[in-house]
Amino acid sequence: QLLLSLVHDITPGRNLAQGMWNYQKQLEDMVDHRTAELQTRNQWVLLALLLVSVFALALVWNRYRRKQIEEVLSYRQGLFSAMFESSGLLSGIVDQTGRLCEVNQRALQLIDLPATAVIGKDFVHTPWWQEEDKSRLREALSRAAQGQADSFEATHRSADGKTVWVQFHAVPVCIDAQSYISVIGVDISEMKRLAALEAHNNRLLAAVFDHAEVGLALVSPQRKLLNVNERFATLVGYSRHEMLAPGFDIEQISHASDKPLSLIHISEP
């Protein structure tokens, strides 16, 4: 038996294999490095896209919110204009220094002047106010500037010479974080006329009541004398002061035989 031994020089192959392995390792390192670079780049790209998306969404949301706010402001402006111009009230806005900032057409019609003639002027010295009312207006504006609402009556002289009675309310308001005073006037001329007419009628009735030739008395359902005329006092023998004093009862001046009938009539509505 023979042992056949073959010896080959594999150094070049080993070197080649080692070289191939090193080359492969370099390629893998390059691929890993490139992959990492691409991943990092992709991350930045994704982050940029995310930021752009967020920014775009923010713009869309901002436009939506701005549209909503504009709609609300438009509605409130329309509501304010409707109340300010169409309410039939005399309305104005005064700043903290007493300058007139806004005024409605109803108030301008009273003095027959355009807004440019009074806007920016000291409100106290505008054509609406008569001298006897200016001090009361200053007091009301001063209180409103300090946060306290105030009311008072004043007379205006209209462009056609008529006297107009107005009930004014000076109210502190806040507009765009700024303090102003809302001055609202209600025309009470008709109410004053009716009140004067009622007072005249009351005086006329009182004169007829007091000077009638028959005895007259006003009695409550509780049998209390509310008023009697002089003729009635003369007939029953008591003074008006005695009969209208607290505790005086109609029974005191009623005959015993007449009390049931008298009390029935008094109790009836």
Side-chain angles (χ1 to χ4, degrees), residues 141-158:
L141 294 178
S142 177
R143 289 188 179 182
Q146 297 172 10
Q148 300 177 1
D150 196 6
S151 300
F152 64 99
E153 289 184 5
T155 57
H156 284 342
R157 184 73 63 183
S158 64

Side-chain angles (χ1 to χ4, degrees), residues 12 16-17 40 56 81 127 144 154 165-166 179 182 195 213 224 246 250 255 263:
L16 179 60
T40 302
S81 297
W165 279 93
V166 183
S179 296
S182 174
E213 291 298 325
K224 175 177 174 55
I250 189 67
H255 192 273
L263 297 180

Side-chain angles (χ1 to χ4, degrees), residues 193-211:
R193 187 187 69 80
L194 293 176
L197 180 61
E198 182 182 9
H200 172 74
N201 290 337
N202 288 338
R203 289 193 299 269
L204 182 62
L205 289 174
V208 172
F209 184 87
D210 290 337
H211 298 91

